[in-house]
Amino acid sequence: MASRKTVYSQDTKLAELLTQDRRLLQLLPRFGIGLGFGDHSVAQVCQMNHVNAELFLMICEIYTNSSYKPGQKELRNINMSDLLSYLKASHQYYLDERFPHIEEHLQHIIEACGQKFGPMLSHFYDEYKQEVMRHIQYYEEEVVFPYIEALLHGQRSDSYKIKEFESNHTNIQDVLDDMMNILLKYLPGDILPKERIEISLDIMELSDDLNRHSLIEDRILTPYVELLENTQP
């Protein structure tokens, strides 16, 4: 896939960047950036918050355009420890905020469905959540990240290579499609229609965010670690 030249600059005012794509707002807490930054530029805000500006813009690019793919020269300008901190913060966001929020509202719909659709909807949601957790909480947090951190400290391992990470990305789209079909197509129209629309939007936004998360790992994490593997003795 061809790389697209970045459209953002460190001189861009952060407020202007965020208004171009509202999805970028959810990145701020993961970098430890708060609101109230006035007319400061991306570079200024990142400096004030001890954030690598190159990495911040790189991730913004991936959220804005899924065809964007940074080159090796761009990758060498970021800090892997900063990227790992961002990815771990994303995991906490999914597990501590997004899933509990969705579960709270989805439970109302499950209770209103009765035995015909309630258990089925609950099953597909639980399967969806467990697949996500299995990958990010157990595989990434317990296998991939410790391997990278050891590599950063000069500790090589022949038992694992980052190439294996690509083949372990979980495909949960089928489960998500089944759950959305129940919410949108098969439940009777009089079962909490407003709340069903709201929860469907929440799930779709979470799914999009998780897809961008995977792109960040595919486009930044994996090639960066491959550079480490190939350059260390």
Side-chain angles (χ1 to χ4, degrees):
M1 182 178 294
S3 173
R4 191 198 71 165
K5 181 176 174 54
T6 178
V7 297
Y8 296 136
S9 163
Q10 292 191 35
D11 295 327
T12 303
K13 291 181 180 179
L14 181 57
E16 293 178 358
L17 185 151
L18 297 174
T19 55
Q20 292 179 32
D21 192 326
R22 64 185 178 86
R23 292 176 299 179
L24 302 182
L25 277 166
Q26 63 193 340
L27 304 183
L28 298 184
R30 306 178 200 182
F31 280 105
I33 298 175
L35 300 178
F37 36 72
D39 286 326
H40 288 303
S41 68
V42 169
Q44 291 170 324
V45 176
C46 285
Q47 184 177 23
M48 288 187 292
N49 290 275
H50 309 289
V51 171
N52 183 285
E54 288 86 356
L55 176 62
F56 178 79
L57 287 175
M58 199 177 289
I59 290 176
C60 287
E61 286 284 348
I62 289 177
Y63 264 78
T64 303
N65 189 332
S66 59
S67 69
Y68 172 72
K69 183 178 180 181
Q72 287 192 7
K73 183 178 179 180
E74 296 168 284
L75 291 173
R76 293 181 188 277
N77 288 330
I78 67 171
N79 184 291
M80 176 54 68
S81 295
D82 291 342
L83 177 58
L84 290 179
S85 295
Y86 167 84
L87 294 175
K88 291 175 182 178
S90 295
H91 291 176
Q92 289 304 117
Y93 170 71
Y94 300 139
L95 299 177
D96 295 345
E97 297 186 40
R98 294 311 302 159
F99 278 119
H101 172 78
I102 289 173
E103 288 166 12
E104 180 182 354
H105 294 279
L106 188 62
Q107 188 59 37
H108 298 160
I109 299 171
I110 291 172
E111 291 172 357
C113 286
Q115 288 300 308
K116 184 174 182 180
F117 292 105
M120 188 185 307
L121 185 57
S122 180
H123 167 75
F124 283 125
Y125 174 76
D126 288 342
E127 187 175 353
Y128 172 69
K129 178 183 176 181
Q130 290 305 317
E131 282 297 321
V132 173
M133 290 183 62
R134 189 177 298 118
H135 183 77
I136 67 174
Q137 194 171 30
Y138 303 117
Y139 182 63
E140 292 187 12
E141 296 276 355
E142 297 184 10
V143 177
V144 181
F145 293 171
Y147 166 74
I148 296 173
E149 288 166 345
L151 199 61
L152 289 172
H153 288 89
Q155 303 170 20
R156 297 188 62 86
S157 172
D158 294 328
S159 61
Y160 183 84
K161 296 294 181 185
I162 198 62
K163 197 71 176 175
E164 298 177 33
F165 180 59
E166 297 178 81
S167 62
N168 275 280
H169 262 167
T170 304
N171 184 4
I172 56 173
Q173 192 59 45
D174 289 343
V175 178
L176 180 62
D177 289 344
D178 288 335
M179 180 168 59
M180 294 304 296
N181 281 336
I182 295 174
L183 282 169
L184 301 177
K185 295 168 62 175
Y186 300 125
L187 290 185
D190 60 350
I191 295 181
L192 304 178
K194 184 175 182 293
E195 195 159 4
R196 279 160 61 188
I197 291 174
E198 292 173 352
I199 199 66
S200 296
L201 289 171
D202 283 342
I203 293 171
M204 289 175 181
E205 288 180 0
L206 173 61
S207 177
D208 180 70
D209 196 5
L210 286 167
N211 287 335
R212 302 291 165 175
H213 184 81
S214 294
L215 281 177
I216 290 167
E217 293 170 337
D218 291 342
R219 306 280 174 77
I220 304 178
L221 181 76
T222 300
Y224 189 106
V225 176
E226 286 176 341
L227 287 174
L228 289 177
E229 290 175 338
N230 294 331
T231 55
Q232 288 195 0

